[in-house]
Amino acid sequence: MGHQPILELYPWEPGICFQHPDAGAVQTTVVRELRTRLGNVEDIRACSSCIVAMEARREELALEAGVEYVPGHAGEPFTAD
């Protein structure tokens, strides 16, 4: 599967990528939510290059585990169930 079909699985909006904060506001998607001690919820956002890398790693893990790779779940824990 190419990069564009994978990226189209995610909603995008301007934000700060957790891996590339120096890039400033770029198109990002939420990959996790972090609950602070005060109870606030902070979005952890990733840019398209990070999503592509995260999806590639999930695909590798699926291949190693002998399970079907299902894109669109970057940021979620990988399970081979």
Side-chain angles (χ1 to χ4, degrees):
M1 179 177 258
H3 298 312
Q4 193 58 39
I6 289 173
L7 295 175
E8 290 174 0
L9 297 172
Y10 295 91
W12 297 92
E13 64 182 52
I16 304 297
C17 177
F18 78 102
Q19 288 279 32
H20 306 107
D22 293 341
V26 296
Q27 289 297 103
T28 61
T29 191
V30 176
V31 290
R32 297 288 283 186
E33 291 182 341
L34 176 70
R35 186 169 303 280
T36 68
R37 289 187 206 178
L38 299 177
N40 300 332
V41 176
E42 301 274 337
D43 289 339
I44 306 300
R45 305 188 71 82
C47 67
S48 60
S49 63
C50 287
I51 291 296
V52 168
M54 293 166 80
E55 287 286 359
R57 180 62 182 141
R58 289 181 63 81
E59 186 172 21
E60 289 172 9
L61 291 170
L63 182 61
E64 290 171 8
V67 297
E68 180 183 5
Y69 164 63
V70 179
H73 302 282
E76 294 178 15
F78 178 81
T79 58
D81 299 336

